[in-house]
Amino acid sequence: MDNIALVISTCDKFSDLWDTHIELYKKNWDGPLWKTYMVTDKPTDKSYDGVEIIVAGENFDFPMRLKYALGKIDKDYVLVTLDDYFLIEKTDFSKLNYLAERAEKEHIDYLMLYERRKTNPRRFTAIDILEPIDLSQKYAVTLYPAIWNREFLSNSVKADMNPWYYEPSLTNYAKDLGANCKFSHTGAFVILDVVRKGKVLHKANRYFKKNGIDIGKRPLISRITEIKLDIMDYISWYMPRKMFIAGKKILAKFGITFYSED
């Protein structure tokens, strides 16, 4: 598949993760690398074979950095991932090529490759099964990691958009346009979520210790904070929608800000 590139979204504050990210990406990508871009905010002395670093500028927040980079890429499709999503399983190149070709042939706007709520490495489905995404669900469309129609993704970013509002806005954006959104549960791109709130998650830390990986001095998140984040994720994903909206209205009265629209 010659019509797709891989884009790693990052910034200077996470540059301590780049070496390990690229090392694991190349180690676990089983086949010729797609054209690969790393999008950041500040100039850097770092460089990697086969990776083009796009410096969007310090004045751009991450959605505008992404939009800037997409304007520099001449492929119709992009697989977008994040600096702290480390590729930890061997990726079957033929699977990813197959999915990219399906996306192009079937005019898929968004093809999710990894979903924390659903992905279970013991229960992957066949490569030819693509599940339609229910856009009425909360956070049905998330930015990473997924195969996107480049133009569709670029148009999702508005110049005045608050970066904290951007990702929660994607589901309604897709819904309003009647986008063709699918989910592949094939295990084609299995990632490890490494950082939350700027600190290393315990699951990631165990993986690093087991595999003798040193990612530097980034601190470990407290267990209490990690548990709280897991609980909030669970509530936001699984609580009935009406109850969730009612709860948000109550919390908003106490000054808590939410960025999703439902």
Side-chain angles (χ1 to χ4, degrees):
M1 174 73 174
D2 296 325
N3 201 22
I4 188 168
L6 186 137
V7 178
I8 303 165
S9 178
T10 187
C11 65
D12 181 70
K13 290 182 179 179
F14 284 80
S15 60
D16 57 307
L17 304 178
W18 294 0
D19 291 354
T20 305
H21 182 114
I22 297 298
E23 179 183 354
L24 290 175
Y25 163 47
K26 290 185 175 181
K27 175 183 177 182
N28 289 312
W29 187 278
D30 188 16
L33 294 179
W34 288 341
K35 179 64 178 177
T36 302
Y37 299 87
M38 180 176 285
V39 186
T40 187
D41 53 348
K42 296 180 181 180
T44 178
D45 293 332
K46 289 179 176 287
S47 64
Y48 305 97
D49 289 340
V51 179
E52 180 177 337
I53 297 178
I54 298 177
V55 180
E58 297 180 49
N59 293 329
F60 284 164
D61 287 315
F62 91 87
M64 286 302 296
R65 288 199 298 270
L66 182 59
K67 188 179 184 74
Y68 176 87
L70 293 173
K72 303 287 185 181
I73 296 171
D74 63 357
K75 308 294 186 182
D76 289 335
Y77 283 84
V78 287
L79 193 170
V80 183
T81 188
L82 189 59
D83 46 22
D84 69 331
Y85 284 178
F86 289 3
L87 192 60
I88 58 168
E89 299 286 345
K90 279 290 183 183
T91 292
D92 187 329
F93 179 70
S94 63
K95 282 186 178 181
L96 282 175
N97 262 355
Y98 170 82
L99 293 173
E101 288 170 356
R102 284 279 302 269
E104 183 176 37
K105 181 179 179 181
E106 299 174 24
H107 306 289
I108 295 172
D109 298 301
Y110 169 76
L111 179 54
M112 181 187 287
L113 298 180
Y114 184 87
E115 161 66 276
R116 282 189 293 163
R117 287 169 286 189
K118 296 181 180 179
T119 300
N120 182 339
R122 292 180 296 277
R123 298 181 63 184
F124 289 139
T125 56
I127 182 65
D128 60 328
I129 297 176
L130 299 185
E131 300 177 22
I133 293 176
D134 182 358
L135 296 177
S136 69
Q137 299 297 313
K138 299 188 298 288
Y139 309 115
V141 177
T142 56
L143 193 55
Y144 323 98
I147 293 173
W148 292 83
N149 175 287
R150 181 179 58 82
E151 184 177 3
F152 176 78
L153 177 57
S154 181
N155 289 340
S156 73
V157 182
K158 312 303 179 185
D160 59 348
M161 184 172 281
N162 183 315
W164 300 109
Y165 170 78
Y166 172 60
E167 191 163 14
S169 77
L170 287 171
T171 300
N172 281 341
Y173 166 73
K175 188 191 308 181
D176 291 344
L177 291 179
N180 185 1
C181 300
K182 299 289 178 63
F183 170 51
S184 169
H185 190 45
T186 64
F189 198 83
V190 179
I191 57 97
L192 175 69
D193 190 1
V194 174
V195 172
R196 199 77 58 83
K197 299 291 184 181
K199 298 181 179 180
V200 177
L201 294 166
H202 285 86
K203 180 179 180 180
N205 191 53
R206 290 194 296 271
Y207 176 85
F208 298 144
K209 286 184 175 179
K210 179 180 178 180
N211 291 278
I213 296 172
D214 179 10
I215 63 164
K217 298 180 180 179
R218 186 173 288 268
L220 190 64
I221 196 168
S222 74
R223 291 192 181 276
I224 292 177
T225 300
E226 188 168 357
I227 290 170
K228 287 181 179 178
L229 290 171
D230 287 342
I231 291 172
M232 290 302 295
D233 279 348
Y234 189 88
I235 290 173
S236 67
W237 290 337
Y238 298 112
M239 181 181 285
R241 188 169 183 177
K242 289 183 179 179
M243 187 182 300
F244 182 74
I245 293 172
K248 284 176 64 174
K249 289 179 179 178
I250 294 172
L251 293 173
K253 293 180 179 180
F254 291 91
I256 296 176
T257 301
F258 296 92
Y259 296 101
S260 64
E261 297 175 356
D262 55 6

